[in-house]
Amino acid sequence: MSFGEPFFDRLILHLDGTHAGPMNMAVDQAWLEHSTIPVLRIYTWDQPTVTLGYAQSLPKLQDALPGWPVVRRWTGGGVVLHQEDYTYSVIVPSADPWSETTALESYRRIHGSLAEALSQNGHPGCRLALQEDVIEAPFCFVAPAVHDVIRGPVKVAGAGQRRGKLGLLHQGSVQQVILKPEFWTQWATRLAKEVLTVETAPEPVLARATELERRRYALPEWLADRDDHLPRI
């Protein structure tokens, strides 16, 4: 099956800069809260960083982690080591009907499109992992899940998702390959019929991200127990 048909009518391609872990997580959530059209955000890290899945236990994993800063994601999935990877997020607000795509199907479609883009840009042989490729382990890139992107025995792309009344947040990482800078623009044009490229998020997104960084993602309580200082609804 080809995944070449665009998913979206319009898409914002946010070629973001470099941030610390808490701000990177905060910007994704802020986009989900404020955007009315899908966003593909590309970003980097100010230093090697570990992200944990929303439901993972830090005490159980602590001894196996490198001595890097650690931040907890709002999405699920396993431990990801961000050092030489390429990090992206697909953010689909609830206003877009595509946000109602089921969890498994959205994962399959996003990664299917990514695998095709990788195969056509210097990395032939990328495909979606099948059930027989699955490995159970807490570290994401040694443990392919169904519909992750693999190339031979090597996992090259995985992600975590969060779904709710705000829409869909898909936070992904691409590893074990070298990508040219233009790759993300090329993939964006596969995802949407019309692409608007920005390097700076709108002021409401930035303001909300600053608040989320301070009141959620930078807190020791969030890292330890998913507790934050945000108002309860």
Side-chain angles (χ1 to χ4, degrees):
M1 176 181 291
S2 172
F3 298 89
E5 192 70 22
F7 302 158
F8 313 117
D9 290 330
R10 299 176 63 214
L11 175 79
I12 296 172
L13 172 60
H14 182 195
L15 299 175
D16 202 357
T18 298
H19 305 287
M23 178 56 78
N24 271 332
M25 300 298 95
V27 174
D28 279 348
Q29 181 177 340
W31 266 121
L32 184 62
E33 292 180 3
H34 284 275
S35 186
T36 58
I37 66 174
V39 178
L40 172 60
R41 175 173 171 249
I42 313 302
Y43 57 96
T44 54
W45 308 80
D46 68 345
Q47 60 186 305
T49 301
V50 178
T51 61
L52 303 183
Y54 178 80
Q56 289 189 297
S57 169
L58 179 59
K60 291 181 179 179
L61 296 166
Q62 187 73 67
D63 290 345
L65 300 179
W68 301 350
V70 182
V71 63
R72 184 180 297 280
R73 301 191 304 271
W74 204 31
T75 54
V79 176
V80 181
L81 306 181
H82 303 280
Q83 185 176 28
E84 297 179 348
D85 68 327
Y86 303 89
T87 318
Y88 74 92
S89 297
V90 177
I91 299 139
V92 188
S94 59
D96 191 294
W98 208 88
S99 68
E100 299 178 6
T101 308
T102 66
L104 189 63
E105 183 64 6
S106 63
Y107 202 85
R108 184 184 74 87
R109 291 187 188 181
I110 292 171
H111 278 174
S113 177
L114 178 60
E116 289 183 352
L118 288 168
S119 291
Q120 293 172 9
N121 283 272
H123 304 289
C126 289
R127 65 174 178 86
L128 295 181
L130 304 174
Q131 185 60 51
E132 55 263 34
D133 301 306
V134 171
I135 297 172
E136 298 290 339
F139 281 75
C140 180
F141 275 82
V142 298
V146 171
H147 301 332
D148 279 340
V149 181
I150 60 175
R151 189 181 185 210
V154 177
K155 176 173 174 175
V156 298
Q161 288 193 353
R162 184 179 185 89
R163 314 173 66 83
K165 63 181 181 180
L166 293 173
L168 165 66
L169 172 59
H170 173 105
Q171 292 178 314
S173 175
V174 180
Q175 304 190 9
Q176 310 293 337
V177 294
I178 302 296
L179 301 181
K180 297 179 180 179
E182 59 268 26
F183 173 81
W184 299 111
T185 299
Q186 293 172 357
W187 187 36
T189 60
R190 294 175 61 92
L191 293 176
K193 298 174 183 176
E194 179 184 350
V195 177
L196 171 64
T197 302
V198 301
E199 294 185 359
T200 303
E203 183 55 38
V205 173
L206 294 175
R208 178 57 170 162
T210 299
E211 179 185 26
L212 288 166
E213 178 189 34
R214 176 172 56 88
R215 304 186 71 177
R216 170 170 283 177
Y217 294 104
L219 295 177
E221 301 98 309
W222 172 256
L223 178 59
D225 298 307
R226 301 188 296 275
D227 290 334
D228 56 39
H229 295 170
L230 297 175
R232 299 303 176 187
I233 300 176

